[in-house]
């Protein structure tokens, strides 16, 4: 799991003595941006990037991978400020779609853009949460075992939108097993039982006993196999966390968490002020790399040198 705070990228992994080095590309995009996600958007077999941000208008930019870790850029207009994205096939047509959290005037909703099969996307459709929610982050996984990816939402609390199988969603279900004021969320099988769990990043709530109300925290919610969750470990940080991601960066078969759903000690990797992170093998060497999005705009890739 990788989490981002105000000025660093921090990884939690099984062996705290391992420290990975990386080589960075130049920044790839210059818009003031926040979320970043990867996916095979145009069907050519190379992982592409979707980046959201606001300049004169808010939009989603698709960076198409040439296959060697360099990218061409295109732009998709979005009608709201976008704070977080997930890239996944939501309507079972074998092409990845984009789900994103809304800021601005539509800050209480999650939107979906369906892929037109060529890396361009339909106009977004909006799925509202309660009127008091400010949606910060989304993550996707088949949470209830029906074969369709659902959407988990961090909006202070944590909610789930269950997929109806065609890219439409039932009303949001709130999860009670969480004592973190959630701003980031990731889905991965953290305890090895075959069901995707949720890792929630943010700050401690007023009821948290081990972290202050303003301090950072990560909470693990373990899936019971049917889309219901039980709270597990919570971990405190000195600063509030804004985003979180999961990937097996060290090649041990676990998504950079202990196999039982617990965390090992953190390793820090200095970078420009971090607005978002995504993990994928961007240069085709078989090792997962990190794409890092700066708060001041621009996307860079840290190429993995951990694994032989």
């Amino acid at each position: 799991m990788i989490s981002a705070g105000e000025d660093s990228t921090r990884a939690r992994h099984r062996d705290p003595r391992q420290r990975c080095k990386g080589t960075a590309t130049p920044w790839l995009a210059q818009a003031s941006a926040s979320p970043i996600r990867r996916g095979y958007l145009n069907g050519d077999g190379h992982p592409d990037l979707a980046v959201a941000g606001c300049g004169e208008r808010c939009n989603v930019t698709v960076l198409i991978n040439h296959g060697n870790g360099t990218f061409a850029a295109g732009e998709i207009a979005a009608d709201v400020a976008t704070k977080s994205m997930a890239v996944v096939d939501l309507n079972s047509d074998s092409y990845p779609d984009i789900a994103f959290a809304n800021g601005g005037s539509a800050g209480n909703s999650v939107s979906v853009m369906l892929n037109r099969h060529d890396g361009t996307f339909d106009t977004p459709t909006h799925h509202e949460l309660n009127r008091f929610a400010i949606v910060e982050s989304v993550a996707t996984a088949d949470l209830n075992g029906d074969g369709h990816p659902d959407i988990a939402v961090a909006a202070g609390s944590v909610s789930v939108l269950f997929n109806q199988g065609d890219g439409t969603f039932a009303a949001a279900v709130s999860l009670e097993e969480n004592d973190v004021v959630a701003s980031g969320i990731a889905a991965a099988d953290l305890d090895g039982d075959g069901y995707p769990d949720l890792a929630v990043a943010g700050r401690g709530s007023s009821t948290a006993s081990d972290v202050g109300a303003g301090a950072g925290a990560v909470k693990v919610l373990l899936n019971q196999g049917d889309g219901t969750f039980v709270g597990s470990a919570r971990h405190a940080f000195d600063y509030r966390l804004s985003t979180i991601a999961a990937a097996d960066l060290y090649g041990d078969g676990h998504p950079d968490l202990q196999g039982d759903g617990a965390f090992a000690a953190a390793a820090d990797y200095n970078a420009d002020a971090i607005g978002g992170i995504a993990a994928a093998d961007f240069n085709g060497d078989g090792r997962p790399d990190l794409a890092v999005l700066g708060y001041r705009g621009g996307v860079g890739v840290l190429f993995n040198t951990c694994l032989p």
Side-chain angles (χ1 to χ4, degrees):
M1 177 204 69
I2 311 98
S3 57
E6 294 181 353
D7 57 4
S8 68
T9 300
R10 175 166 263 215
R12 287 194 178 257
H13 52 82
R14 290 175 59 85
D15 186 352
R17 297 168 296 178
Q18 284 185 300
R19 302 296 171 114
C20 291
K21 298 179 180 179
T23 57
T25 66
W27 296 105
L28 298 171
Q30 298 303 320
S32 174
S34 183
I36 178 172
R37 291 295 180 264
R38 58 90 176 175
Y40 302 94
L41 299 178
N42 64 345
D44 66 358
H46 304 301
D48 310 303
L49 292 173
V51 183
C54 293
E56 293 182 359
R57 61 179 298 181
C58 296
N59 57 66
V60 176
T61 299
V62 172
L63 305 175
I64 299 298
N65 192 340
H66 294 306
N68 60 359
T70 64
F71 296 80
E75 189 169 291
I76 309 165
D79 58 0
V80 292
T82 307
K83 305 183 74 173
S84 171
M85 290 188 298
V87 174
V88 66
D89 179 12
L90 296 172
N91 59 351
S92 302
D93 65 355
S94 300
Y95 288 87
D97 310 301
I98 297 177
F100 56 87
N102 291 323
S105 60
N108 66 336
S109 66
V110 173
S111 295
V112 171
M113 294 194 300
L114 298 180
N115 196 326
R116 295 171 178 159
H117 302 178
D118 59 0
T120 65
F121 294 83
D122 288 340
T123 301
T125 57
H126 306 305
H127 304 274
E128 292 190 358
L129 277 69
N130 73 71
R131 64 189 180 92
F132 300 108
I134 301 297
V135 180
E136 299 279 355
S137 182
V138 295
T140 55
D142 179 12
L143 299 176
N144 60 354
D146 66 356
H148 306 296
D150 310 301
I151 302 175
V153 185
S157 61
V158 176
S159 300
V160 175
L161 296 166
F162 289 107
N163 195 336
Q164 303 300 288
D166 57 359
T168 63
F169 293 84
V173 177
S174 179
L175 303 185
E176 301 297 332
E177 288 285 348
N178 188 51
D179 47 11
V180 170
V181 180
S183 58
I185 194 165
D189 180 11
L190 303 179
D191 58 358
D193 65 356
Y195 302 114
D197 309 300
L198 298 176
V200 182
R203 60 181 174 84
S205 70
S206 59
T207 61
S209 60
D210 59 342
V211 293
V218 170
K219 177 79 172 185
V220 174
L221 303 177
L222 297 178
N223 195 337
Q224 302 304 287
D226 58 359
T228 62
F229 294 82
V230 172
S232 180
R234 182 179 57 239
H235 305 269
F237 292 81
D238 295 333
Y239 48 85
R240 179 178 175 180
L241 303 176
S242 59
T243 187
I244 190 168
D248 180 15
L249 297 177
Y250 295 88
D252 61 1
H254 305 285
D256 284 327
L257 299 172
Q258 294 272 352
D260 59 359
F263 294 88
D268 294 329
Y269 306 95
N270 292 329
D272 192 13
I274 302 299
I277 45 182
D281 178 13
F282 291 112
N283 60 353
D285 65 358
R287 297 178 289 193
D289 310 302
L290 292 178
V292 181
L293 184 67
Y295 275 125
R296 290 183 288 271
V299 180
V301 178
L302 295 172
F303 291 113
N304 191 337
T305 61
C306 297
L307 305 176

